[in-house]
Amino acid sequence: MQNILKIQLPSGIQAEIKELTADAERVLTSRIDLKNGQWINKFIGKALVSLDNKKVPENQGELINLLLDMKTGDRNYLLLRIRMQNYGEDMMFNFECPKCHKNSGYKINLQELLNNDELKIYPYRNDVPISVEISDGVAEIDYMTGRTEQWLASQKEIDTIKMAMAACKSFNGKAPEYKDFAKLLARDITKIRMTYADLKGGLDPKIELDCPECDSINEVMLYQIPDFFTPLTTMGSIGL
């Protein structure tokens, strides 16, 4: 029998998640889903039982749409709690320092990182979207959602223009278009990005890892760490 865990998302919404079956891990091996960003939706969908005190839809299309509309900070928190529920709070993994290229072993406890505020959860702001006046009009800055994530994942290349577009809900009352943003001044793109950087909300999945070889501090996304979703795959070579 699958245990069900009740949690509260950073936005205040209640959610219930159940233990995963082995079938859920197959989502992580689909090249198509990894390429188009659908793996996150399908992975969360395997675990989510209810959201905002409502049972999630059984229809796959309706469920995916529900998840795509969720704010990224809530989705990040869901992924973290799904990982902790199924694989435990402790993580052992190898990480190669990008500066000295030393491969070192690490052991971290996810609950301790939350308790010590090393994994940060920011409250959502109520004054969104934020209207930002730039040289060619007005951009509305809003929190990213699953739809934004999926759009970014589908891009062959991501540049500063696309990152600025991802931060915008609208530009001059319409959906952002690349041709319009490419004509903006560099200071306009910078203003949009800086405004979004201040729009923190939900779980920030970045942690800091100290390199024992060169003493550098590296900021790493949890989901980019080996063994976050499928632990023990490199356990035999952990250098601790």
Side-chain angles (χ1 to χ4, degrees):
M1 183 178 179
Q2 293 169 285
N3 291 324
I4 294 179
L5 176 67
K6 294 183 179 181
I7 59 175
Q8 180 172 301
L9 304 182
S11 63
I13 294 175
Q14 301 294 320
E16 290 181 311
I17 54 176
K18 63 184 178 182
E19 288 184 287
L20 298 173
T21 63
D23 176 64
E25 290 189 354
R26 294 198 304 171
V27 173
L28 305 174
T29 62
S30 170
R31 293 184 179 181
I32 295 177
D33 288 337
L34 290 173
K35 186 176 181 180
N36 62 22
Q38 274 286 12
W39 71 270
I40 294 180
N41 304 312
K42 291 185 177 181
F43 191 74
I44 294 177
K46 294 284 187 181
L48 194 61
V49 175
S50 69
L51 188 66
D52 199 16
N53 297 315
K54 299 176 184 176
K55 294 289 184 182
V56 297
E58 294 184 8
N59 179 276
Q60 186 71 6
E62 293 178 10
L63 174 58
I64 295 298
N65 278 324
L66 178 69
L67 298 175
L68 287 174
D69 287 335
M70 291 181 65
K71 292 182 176 67
T72 291
D74 276 357
R75 288 159 58 87
N76 287 339
Y77 188 73
L78 265 176
L79 287 172
L80 176 68
R81 293 306 299 261
I82 291 170
R83 196 280 177 199
M84 293 169 64
Q85 181 190 30
N86 290 277
Y87 304 120
E89 299 173 358
D90 290 327
M91 281 181 59
M92 295 179 65
F93 58 93
N94 286 322
F95 178 76
E96 181 180 307
C97 175
K99 295 183 175 64
C100 69
H101 302 291
K102 167 71 174 180
N103 199 39
S104 303
Y106 293 86
K107 181 178 180 180
I108 61 175
N109 182 280
L110 297 171
Q111 187 59 58
E112 289 181 3
L113 292 179
L114 284 172
N115 294 344
N116 298 335
D117 203 30
E118 294 175 71
L119 262 176
K120 297 185 180 298
I121 298 178
Y122 297 96
Y124 284 106
R125 292 172 51 166
N126 296 320
D127 59 339
V128 290
I130 299 173
S131 294
V132 176
E133 294 187 7
I134 53 180
S135 56
D136 285 349
V138 177
E140 281 191 314
I141 315 299
D142 204 349
Y143 288 110
M144 291 189 187
T145 66
R147 296 187 188 281
T148 320
E149 296 170 35
Q150 188 165 289
W151 177 76
L152 286 172
S154 69
Q155 304 299 304
K156 292 183 179 180
E157 295 182 357
I158 299 177
D159 54 23
T160 55
I161 296 175
K162 290 179 181 176
M163 288 303 299
M165 290 173 62
C168 292
K169 179 179 182 180
S170 69
F171 177 59
N172 288 336
K174 300 185 298 183
E177 295 186 27
Y178 192 91
K179 62 181 179 63
D180 295 328
F181 273 63
K183 297 176 184 177
L184 294 178
L185 299 174
R187 58 181 168 84
D188 291 329
I189 295 293
T190 300
K191 188 175 184 179
I192 291 172
R193 293 174 62 201
M194 290 182 66
T195 301
Y196 185 79
D198 290 334
L199 195 62
K200 295 180 173 63
L203 175 71
D204 183 348
K206 293 190 294 290
I207 62 171
E208 291 183 345
L209 296 177
D210 299 328
C211 176
E213 185 72 16
C214 68
D215 295 326
S216 63
I217 299 176
N218 301 297
E219 196 173 72
V220 184
M221 295 282 285
L222 269 178
Y223 313 141
Q224 296 172 349
I225 293 177
D227 295 347
F228 182 77
F229 291 114
T230 52
L232 307 181
T233 55
T234 60
M235 185 64 74
S237 61
I238 297 292
L240 288 172

